[in-house]
Amino acid sequence: MPLSLDGNSLTIAETCAVARARTADVSLAPAARAAMERSRAVVDRLAAGDDPIYAVNTGVGLLAGVRIPREQLDQLQRNVVRSHAAGVGEPLAREVVRAMMLIRANVLAKGFSGIRPLIADRLCEMLGRGVTPVVPSQGSVGASGDLAPLAHMALVLIGEGEAEFEGAVIEGGEALRRAGIEPVELHPKEGISLINGTQAMLAVGCLELEAAETLANTADVVAALTLDAQRGTPRAFDARIHQARPQAGQLASAARLVRFFEGSEIRESHRGCGRVQDAYSLRAIPQVHGAVLDALAEARRVFAIEVNSATDNPLVFDDEILSGGNFHGEPLALQLDFLAIALAALAGISERRIDRLVNPALNEGLPAFLAGHPGLESGLMMVQVTAASLVAEIRVLANPASTGSITTSGNKEDFVSMGMTSAVKLQRLVRDARYVLAIEALCAARALDLLAPLKTSPALERVRERIRAVSPPLAADRPLYRDLAALESLIARGGLQLA
């Protein structure tokens, strides 16, 4: 569907949809165009005067005290873009760059940046025709925003840098030419407005938040498979327990788990077994998973505000241009770090459930490592080792970056967010956590196979069928890396979620 940007109503879902599409029909709303023209008129008037205006007729950063002659104001903007394109490392994924472009165009559309609508139009054209700048993943300290990543994006707008177009990486100017897009000549304030902002870390955040929400919802389903395979009791999910501590995520998780167990033959077979309590990794699923859901909800709240926020500097209000600090990434950096910590808990409790499924000292009546012939076969011994390895890496990745400010720009920018570091490491952490859940799904499905002819609930049996569609039953030892890759992909697509 066509998307009209007004600077106020872009959603995270729309951002992710445009990011994942090859092309998208995106344009400026008429009201946004009018607001941009009004603020541009203020910049044109003040740029022609004698008062110093940061990054319009002065240098940037520590060089803000240097006045720039009027005849060099356009050159200043080109120089700002060129000099700040100093990123290194692996390029950001295509979808991340597209999300970054979309959010940047949207916040420019708010009309506080003082640039011509033409600049946002060009970003929309690039999204529509599939021109994606090559943006290195390293080089941002998250204040003044994501300077280096956004500068690499802006380079292509002026016909420089590199871009991916029709599957090939080529010079930015050539990519624009092939797509039928004219490069822009930057005028006063337009370069600084393109590179000041939080859009790179936010782009990663939006995409990984959606992936994390899928992961968290899947975790309840997979944990339910494990609990039934362990012949655990759902009594700990009684609504009265959770209403006595009404945390929103906990209530939601507990209610889902109760629903998932309805009609389980396995549950009925041991209803009078006398077990009083299960281990924490089973009994406290709603408390842990629910806390993760609450963390995701808070991140969604913050990100939803940020996609419609003016984050460049300076900003234009009425007849004034004001310098401030909206580019600072601290609100995002804290949420990105918190997401990493939350997902570390999700993966950690999953690994403990995996061990309970395969460990002969804990799995109560199931064969050691769920092998058909323990000793001759190792069964699922090594997948728990892989899960332990992944959790160890996740714990390293969950260490916050936002606590590690390093002064930059000659001590002018003396406290930074490091939010882009938080974002980049979150990408790997989400993938690792997804693999841990894939391992738990593999083990739980195998354990349920061994409890035949008893079946779990109809809802969970449907999930087991989806697992078995990509990972056949274990008849004997076999390499499992393909199973894990297939299950990780299935989880990423939302294939193990239940309504």
Side-chain angles (χ1 to χ4, degrees), residues 16-370:
C16 293
V18 170
R20 295 186 178 112
R22 298 298 298 180
T23 60
D25 184 359
V26 183
S27 61
L28 288 179
R33 191 176 299 278
M36 294 180 75
E37 288 170 347
R38 285 194 297 271
S39 65
R40 182 64 206 173
V42 175
V43 171
D44 286 339
R45 178 173 58 80
L46 295 179
D50 296 324
D51 293 337
I53 304 168
Y54 176 74
V56 174
N57 56 18
T58 76
V60 298
L62 189 63
L63 301 175
V66 178
R67 289 295 298 270
I68 310 300
R70 290 179 187 174
E71 64 273 14
Q72 294 180 326
L73 296 186
D74 288 355
Q75 182 64 44
L76 169 65
Q77 300 304 308
R78 288 193 296 274
N79 288 348
V80 164
V81 170
R82 288 168 176 163
S83 64
H84 284 64
V88 298
E90 290 296 313
L92 293 170
R94 183 178 187 275
E95 62 184 21
V96 172
V97 178
R98 285 180 59 82
M100 182 172 73
M101 294 163 63
L102 177 69
I103 303 168
R104 188 71 232 163
N106 185 61
V107 300
L108 295 174
K110 291 185 74 68
F112 296 126
S113 299
I115 71 172
R116 293 169 296 161
L118 172 68
I119 305 298
D121 286 337
R122 287 290 185 272
L123 286 171
C124 293
E125 288 177 40
M126 290 165 65
L127 288 167
R129 301 181 195 181
V131 176
T132 307
V134 174
V135 177
S137 57
Q138 295 171 281
S140 170
V141 296
S144 300
D146 294 314
L147 292 170
L150 288 167
H152 282 273
M153 177 199 77
L155 269 184
V156 177
L157 274 176
I158 64 174
E160 300 179 16
E162 295 181 327
E164 183 269 322
F165 181 67
E166 295 183 339
V169 174
I170 55 179
E171 292 297 315
E174 178 62 13
L176 293 181
R177 188 191 67 78
R178 293 186 189 182
I181 301 172
E182 287 289 326
V184 298
E185 289 287 337
L186 297 176
H187 294 336
K189 199 181 179 305
E190 292 179 337
I192 195 69
S193 288
L194 281 166
I195 70 170
N196 245 278
T198 59
Q199 284 69 50
M201 67 179 91
L202 180 58
V204 175
C206 289
L207 290 161
E208 296 306 325
L209 174 64
E210 280 207 343
E213 288 171 339
T214 298
L215 194 60
N217 290 329
T218 302
D220 276 349
V221 178
V222 174
L225 290 171
T226 296
L227 183 68
D228 222 14
Q230 282 277 282
R231 286 162 288 195
T233 173
R235 286 181 63 83
F237 312 142
D238 188 300
R240 291 169 293 182
I241 294 173
H242 303 283
Q243 288 163 359
R245 189 203 197 187
Q247 300 286 356
Q250 179 177 328
L251 288 166
S253 178
R256 282 204 293 256
L257 289 162
V258 169
R259 189 168 68 251
F260 295 161
F261 279 111
E262 291 177 358
S264 169
E265 295 177 7
I266 297 171
R267 169 60 182 149
E268 291 303 315
S269 74
H270 65 91
R271 185 173 287 277
C273 67
R275 182 186 297 177
V276 178
Q277 292 187 143
D278 291 313
Y280 286 179
S281 61
L282 302 174
R283 190 192 343 156
I285 292 167
Q287 288 79 3
V288 177
H289 289 197
V292 173
L293 291 174
D294 289 339
L296 298 181
E298 177 60 10
R300 176 169 280 277
R301 184 191 69 81
V302 173
F303 294 173
I305 292 170
E306 194 79 356
V307 295
N308 293 296
S309 295
T311 55
D312 51 302
N313 180 60
L315 293 172
V316 181
F317 299 96
D318 301 320
D319 291 328
E320 292 185 87
I321 298 181
L322 302 178
S323 288
N326 278 5
F327 50 70
H328 206 289
E330 199 72 13
L332 300 182
L334 293 176
Q335 293 305 318
L336 292 162
D337 279 343
F338 198 12
L339 283 177
I341 293 167
L343 294 178
L346 197 74
I349 195 172
S350 175
E351 186 278 328
R352 288 295 78 207
R353 292 192 297 263
I354 293 166
D355 187 57
R356 300 196 76 83
L357 286 165
V358 303
N359 187 336
L362 301 173
N363 65 5
E364 299 191 32
L366 292 168
F369 305 109
L370 305 181

